[in-house]
Amino acid sequence: MSAPAMGTTRTAQSDASQKKKKGPGALATAYLVIYNVVMTAGWLVIAVGLVRAYLARGSYHGLYYSIEKPLKFFQTGALLEILHCAVGIVPSSVVLTGFQVMSRVFLTWAVTHSVREVQSEDSVLLFVAAWTVTEIIRYSFYTFSLLNHLPYLIKWARYTFFIVLYPMGVTGELLTIYAALPYVQKTGLYSVTLPNKYNFSFDYHTFLILTMISYIPLFPQLYFHMLRQRKKVLGHVEEYTKVE
Amino acid sequence: MDALALEAKAGKADAAPAPALATKRPKPQKKAKRIVYFEVEIVDAKTKEKLLLLDKVEPTASILDIKSMFHKSNPQWYPARQSLCLDPKAKSLKDEDVIQNLPVGTTATFYFKDLGAQIAWGTVFLLECVGPLLIYLMFFFRLPFIYSPRYDFTTPKHWVVHLACACHTFHYAKRILETMFVHRFSTGTMPLRNIFKNCSYYWFFAAWMAYYINHPLYTPPMYGEQQVKTALMIFLFCQLGNFSIHIALRNLKQPGSKVKKIPYPSKNPFTWIFWVVSCPNYTYECGSWVGFTVMTQCLPVAFFTIVGFIQMAVWARGKHRGYLKEFRDYPTLRSSILPFIL
């Protein structure tokens, strides 16, 4: 199979790629375990904060304010995950991870934080709740995977809960952006008009509308990808039991 | 087959009178040469379904010949969209590979992958360039519905706007002419969906740039005439440089030959950059766009320059690595795109 001329260079390259596939070293694994434990704990804090606030107030409204700071802190902390992929200690695509994290960070800071008027909307609770449950499961999944002791329940939860949580989160996000639109247009938030010396303009209102439209092609792709992953990951167990 | 048979007959006639000649023959033979025909089986790489069995294949047949034969029985798969490999996970075999030189027995199995609809490189290049050329002009001539009618009959265009249009048009016209008369493409085709990707990129950025430069509220550069003239010099210098490199690269290869050669500086001063860079065509192209950015002082142009630079840097590094792999004596002073930096 090997072409005679480039034989030596090919084998050298395949050795290098094999070494890469072995995964993170001991130090990187320790760091990642700590990172994932901290993130799990952080999102648990947010979850507990939401529950306590609900019990104290007796209603679902305005719960954002009770968890605003930990939400901002831990969601922004997820930016580290892009670095993990870039450095290579996590085998995911930098682009894909970057895209996912940036969209979350965008919603947290550029929409919810920036437009005060939407912070009391119920749609905020919708996506915060979805994110909270998803992240608790996801980070505990990574923690256990790194320690090679993954309980089936966590794996099942990770690949099943998204079926409800994903649409729930997307609905919350879209409603929040939609609620922000009139305020953005009125105040010209983050917008630049002509003329200016850099010959550039940016209309944040239009940008938000385009963002909402972009959910239409993107969300189904991500959703069906997760469904396919579910079949692959959870489907295997059924195969093994059949063989036995 | 006939040529070989003739050769065999000639060998029979010559062998008797001139024994010295017989030693020159690569295979000492007095009988007609027995040609070992190959049997070729083409199997779908994914489904492992047997698609075609070819018997009596010439040992000197190339992969392209086999692809042509496969195309006859499966007309929907023209040779350009066929990928034949020795293994489902291996790289595609090249069209010029000859079957008897491949590590296969007399029964060869090739795994087939459909590369999808293909389009010629030249066609893609032309479409990529004609779009921006026309789109920019649409904005320059302020076609209706682009800019608000409240700007009608306001101040005339600043002279730098005219200059920018001339430069932009010249750049893409040059590219179109080069695609038609200068470039020699080593690979014939690319997947059809690339045309949507490539055209969207070029056409979108052309429209974005053109909108601002030709806008009635366009603000001319901060440092006025000095800035524009300097930027124009840079732009023209790099355009000439880029053209010189394209000519130099064209002259490296004979038409149809696939032999790779190292490009070297020539008498043309613009090619002297070959001492320090592997892909100066990309270097000059980036330089042109930097010139255009400074000339127009327009942020979207800066974005286009940056994105273009990133893409060209990736291509340059790939090309540079290819050169290093191919040639043991490749000059070590050269960087891929930026002298001594990248």
Side-chain angles (χ1 to χ4, degrees), chain B residues 4-148:
Chain B
L4 282 164
L6 276 171
E7 206 183 274
K9 281 193 195 152
K12 241 208 279 191
D14 285 343
L21 258 174
T23 53
K24 276 193 193 168
R25 295 240 167 272
K27 287 184 187 163
Q29 59 190 343
K30 293 187 180 170
K31 296 181 195 161
K33 189 175 183 175
R34 252 220 258 129
I35 302 162
V36 181
Y37 285 110
F38 280 76
E39 206 179 66
V40 171
E41 190 184 49
I42 300 182
V43 170
D44 188 299
K46 271 193 212 151
T47 63
K48 306 286 189 287
E49 176 198 334
K50 290 191 174 49
L51 297 168
L52 185 68
L53 182 66
L54 295 162
D55 55 358
K56 282 209 143 190
V57 175
E58 299 283 317
T60 52
S62 67
I63 293 291
L64 185 60
D65 294 332
I66 295 173
K67 283 184 180 176
S68 311
M69 288 188 256
F70 190 44
H71 174 51
K72 281 198 198 113
S73 59
N74 294 71
Q76 76 277 24
W77 290 322
Y78 43 86
R81 76 189 270 181
Q82 295 177 32
S83 156
L84 295 176
C85 323
L86 291 168
D87 185 79
K89 298 211 180 115
K91 259 172 70 175
S92 284
L93 293 164
K94 297 198 193 129
D95 283 353
E96 323 75 78
D97 288 341
V98 173
I99 192 169
Q100 66 184 358
N101 297 335
L102 294 173
V104 290
T106 49
T107 311
T109 305
F110 291 128
Y111 291 91
F112 163 76
K113 260 179 274 194
D114 181 13
L115 297 170
Q118 298 284 302
I119 186 164
W121 267 68
T123 315
V124 179
F125 268 46
L126 280 176
L127 274 167
E128 278 173 4
C129 296
V130 165
L133 189 79
L134 296 176
I135 289 171
Y136 193 100
L137 290 173
M138 288 192 332
F139 284 88
F140 179 75
F141 289 116
R142 305 239 178 109
L143 291 190
F145 306 114
I146 295 179
Y147 300 112
S148 169

Side-chain angles (χ1 to χ4, degrees), chain A residues 1 6 10 13 194-201, chain B residues 208 212 215 217-219 296-300 325:
Chain A
M1 198 187 107
M6 302 227 253
R10 283 245 178 101
Q13 279 180 349
L194 287 176
N196 59 73
K197 63 179 171 179
Y198 295 115
N199 292 305
F200 178 69
S201 71
Chain B
W208 200 32
Y212 289 106
H215 200 283
L217 293 176
Y218 172 75
T219 311
T296 55
Q297 199 170 299
C298 178
L299 198 57
K325 242 206 281 193

Side-chain angles (χ1 to χ4, degrees), chain A residues 154-169:
Chain A
I154 305 275
K155 183 156 85 168
W156 181 86
R158 201 227 163 164
Y159 284 102
T160 309
F161 278 40
F162 80 89
I163 297 175
V164 170
L165 291 176
Y166 215 7
M168 191 172 128

